[in-house]
Amino acid sequence: QAGLAQPPSVSKALRQTATLTCTGNSNNVGYQGAAWLQQFQGHPPKLLSYRNNNRPSGISERFSASRSGNTASLTITGLQPEDEADYYCSAWDNSLSAWVFGRGTKLTVL
Amino acid sequence: QVQLVQSGAEVKKPGASVKLSCRASGYTFSNYFLHWVRQAPGQGLEWVGIITPTTGDTTYAQRFQGRVTLTRDTSTSTVYMELSSLTSDDTAVYYCARENESCDYWGQGTLVTVSS
């Protein structure tokens, strides 16, 4: 099944801002928006935002999401060492009737 | 609190089948879809399928069609995933996840190892 495109890695300095991107098409990201998940090694994913910029309770305001057309973005401000993780975008694909994921972006905080 | 508790690790031989469970608690089981997602070692997330707890209706990822079966037991708030004709490529951690606009709660994962 088709997936979403994410850069494999992003590196940013401590306290800087990182923007992660996720590109799909009009049947997935462009249709209902994307969700973002954070995953640490050996742990299940954790939902950070859904339908572009809705944050579950308990998620820091440092994490914000947006969408422009078929590309979704996750912006993390004031980077902290604990933000080092893998970040996945996901979306329901209306044409495939399937949930699709990006391959993930490994964020390194320098 | 919402919890999804999955069954323990499994080791299977190629060609065998495996059946995993995911028991939900802390919310009304019938109100939310449940997904299964897997993650091979060092790899990304891959969607397996989804089940509607009220009706048992299912949708599977195309690559698993014919090999995966999702079922549920509403009396115990448990969903099951059975995967057949296992190969080494099926070695992965399998997660169940509740859908509430997106996958907001995840099980702890079950490692399935396929090895001769």
Side-chain angles (χ1 to χ4, degrees):
Chain A
Q1 64 200 40
L4 308 176
Q6 295 185 253
S9 63
V10 168
S11 299
K12 287 288 185 179
L14 190 66
R15 293 185 293 276
Q16 295 301 303
T17 295
T19 298
L20 312 182
T21 60
C22 168
T23 301
N25 59 42
S26 59
N27 293 311
N28 42 61
V29 176
Y31 177 64
Q32 284 187 329
W36 287 91
L37 302 158
Q38 178 190 57
Q39 187 180 34
F40 297 103
Q41 181 78 14
H43 292 268
K46 177 182 179 180
L47 183 65
L48 294 178
S49 76
Y50 58 96
R51 302 226 179 193
N52 301 323
N53 197 22
N54 294 283
R55 273 190 307 271
S57 62
I59 300 300
S60 170
E61 292 180 352
R62 295 192 300 111
F63 295 91
S64 63
S66 62
R67 180 188 66 165
S68 176
N70 297 330
T71 297
S73 299
L74 176 71
T75 299
I76 311 169
T77 58
L79 283 169
Q80 300 296 312
E82 59 265 28
D83 296 330
E84 274 205 355
D86 294 319
Y87 292 84
Y88 294 92
C89 62
S90 65
W92 180 257
D93 191 300
N94 198 46
S95 69
L96 298 174
S97 291
W99 197 263
V100 291
F101 289 93
R103 291 178 180 267
T105 296
K106 183 175 183 62
L107 175 64
T108 300
V109 179
L110 303 171
Chain B
Q1 72 282 20
V2 173
Q3 280 193 303
L4 299 173
V5 179
Q6 298 185 229
S7 48
E10 301 266 8
V11 179
K12 295 293 182 181
K13 293 193 182 302
S17 297
V18 68
K19 188 172 185 177
L20 311 180
S21 68
C22 169
R23 180 169 54 84
S25 62
Y27 71 97
T28 302
F29 177 69
S30 58
N31 284 0
Y32 300 89
F33 302 122
L34 275 156
H35 295 263
W36 285 87
V37 175
R38 77 177 188 179
Q39 186 170 35
Q43 302 299 310
L45 302 169
E46 181 177 30
W47 184 72
V48 176
I50 183 174
I51 186 166
T52 303
T54 48
T55 62
D57 287 347
T58 55
T59 301
Y60 303 127
Q62 188 172 9
R63 66 171 292 176
F64 297 106
Q65 290 274 3
R67 226 169 42 96
V68 68
T69 304
L70 301 185
T71 56
R72 93 289 190 219
D73 181 343
T74 56
S75 68
T76 60
S77 301
T78 301
V79 296
Y80 299 91
M81 186 205 76
E82 184 167 21
L83 188 62
S84 62
S85 303
L86 293 169
T87 72
S88 57
D89 289 342
D90 295 314
T91 292
V93 175
Y94 289 76
Y95 295 104
C96 59
R98 185 185 84 160
E99 179 178 329
N100 180 20
E101 299 278 357
S102 187
C103 291
D104 62 347
Y105 284 92
W106 293 67
Q108 83 275 20
T110 297
L111 174 63
V112 175
T113 303
V114 183
S115 173
S116 55

